[in-house]
Amino acid sequence: MHKSLSLVFIAVLVGCGNSSHKTIDIDNYTEKRINYIIETQVKTANSGNSGEVINKVSAEFLGTPYKANTLIGSSTEPEKLVIDFRGLDCFTYLDYVNSLRKSTDRASFVQQLVGTRYINKDISYKNRKHFFTDWSHRKPLNAQDVTAKISSHAVTVTKYLNQKGDGGEFIPTLGIMKRDVTYIPAEFIDNNVIHNLKTGDYIGIYTNIKGLDVTHTGIFIMTPNGPMLRNASSLKKNMKVVDSPFIDYVKNTPGIVVLRAL
């Protein structure tokens, strides 16, 4: 990850799980944005309406450049708690939105991010929530899987997450996880499904690829211009966080997984 001259490293006691003193990798721009979003969006929203909070917080990132591989850590490199609002991929975008919506200040945001991103709040590569459905399966839970409630046409398949077609692992040393994944096939995503979705629902684009649950993520937002998938888009025409017309986006995909924020 590129480190600008303004990057600061702050050792803090995160006080979570098996974590001890960890280094937060954060830049000055991100520091300011955390405080601004909490003060102007989170604290002014109806805290009892998670969809409203998610909508207001996620809108603050519209236009933010798409950037892959921003996190630091691998099977051979120690994990660092990276917080970087200057560039997002589809999953770190959800990380930050889900954490900000529950935060009251910078310190609480750090705590929320640890719980959102890591299993048992343990800052380590192995315990990073690598899969979208980890959010509804691995504690602390970020969301509830409501896919089956959204459509009677939902289909459940058994996946062996992290196992490639040739038997190898996508993420070395992580192991294989058997999990039932429920999704709504694209041909059944209609106005009835739209009616049952709520602003702020987390959307995963289901994949038939062995070993993976989804290939992209975003947030369902009902706007004055219709339903949108708010997402950090890697499409060449975008390369930033955008609102993509929901039906147009999902109709050419295998389907969607729907998680609702807790």
Side-chain angles (χ1 to χ4, degrees):
M1 175 183 174
H2 176 72
K3 298 177 177 62
S4 70
L5 293 176
S6 64
L7 200 62
V8 294
F9 297 92
I10 309 170
V12 298
L13 181 64
V14 296
C16 304
N18 298 321
S19 303
S20 55
H21 284 280
K22 292 288 182 177
T23 298
I24 300 179
D25 189 336
I26 185 171
D27 61 282
N28 292 332
Y29 168 81
T30 300
E31 285 263 13
K32 293 176 181 178
R33 290 292 293 165
I34 290 169
N35 294 326
Y36 176 82
I37 293 171
I38 291 173
E39 290 298 322
T40 64
Q41 303 302 334
V42 179
K43 291 184 177 180
T44 62
N46 176 3
S47 59
N49 185 340
S50 60
E52 177 187 339
V53 183
I54 292 171
N55 185 10
K56 293 183 71 173
V57 170
S58 63
E60 284 292 324
F61 292 92
L62 287 169
T64 301
Y66 176 89
K67 185 177 181 181
N69 305 316
T70 59
L71 301 188
I72 298 174
S74 70
S75 58
T76 58
E77 181 181 10
E79 185 82 0
K80 288 184 179 180
L81 182 59
V82 174
I83 308 175
D84 188 350
F85 288 7
R86 296 169 299 173
L88 312 167
D89 63 23
C90 67
F91 211 55
T92 54
Y93 179 38
L94 265 61
D95 272 353
Y96 296 140
V97 170
N98 190 64
S99 304
L100 282 164
R101 74 179 179 89
K102 298 181 287 184
S103 301
T104 56
D105 54 28
R106 177 198 175 281
S108 69
F109 169 74
V110 173
Q111 297 288 342
Q112 293 293 345
L113 182 61
V114 172
T116 292
R117 186 175 288 171
Y118 297 101
I119 299 164
N120 296 325
K121 301 183 180 180
D122 178 20
I123 302 175
S124 66
Y125 181 72
K126 185 175 182 179
N127 283 303
R128 194 191 296 172
K129 295 175 185 176
H130 293 278
F131 297 94
F132 180 63
T133 51
D134 283 346
W135 277 33
S136 58
H137 282 77
R138 308 300 297 271
K139 294 182 179 180
L141 301 180
N142 300 330
Q144 176 187 10
D145 192 328
V146 296
T147 311
K149 298 179 181 179
I150 300 298
S151 173
S152 60
H153 296 288
V155 176
T156 300
V157 296
T158 299
K159 288 270 193 174
Y160 292 85
L161 297 181
N162 200 40
Q163 185 176 55
K164 292 181 178 180
D166 62 4
E169 296 184 1
F170 285 103
I171 303 170
T173 74
L174 187 64
I176 309 301
M177 294 163 285
K178 182 180 179 181
R179 181 173 298 164
D180 289 338
V181 177
T182 302
Y183 73 101
I184 304 168
E187 60 264 36
F188 298 114
I189 300 174
D190 53 18
N191 288 333
N192 186 57
V193 167
I194 297 297
H195 176 75
N196 290 331
L197 289 170
K198 293 183 178 180
T199 287
D201 282 346
Y202 300 128
I203 305 296
I205 302 300
Y206 177 76
T207 179
N208 292 313
I209 297 173
K210 290 184 178 180
L212 301 179
D213 52 2
V214 307
T215 52
H216 189 54
T217 62
I219 305 170
F220 178 83
I221 303 290
M222 180 58 75
T223 76
N225 295 320
M228 298 288 170
L229 181 70
R230 187 165 291 167
N231 66 112
S233 174
S234 62
L235 297 177
K236 289 184 178 180
K237 66 178 182 179
N238 295 325
M239 291 300 293
K240 61 185 177 182
V241 177
V242 297
D243 279 347
S244 304
F246 189 82
I247 294 293
D248 289 346
Y249 192 100
V250 302
K251 68 181 180 181
N252 294 319
T253 72
I256 61 172
V257 178
V258 185
L259 304 184
R260 185 159 289 164
L262 293 173

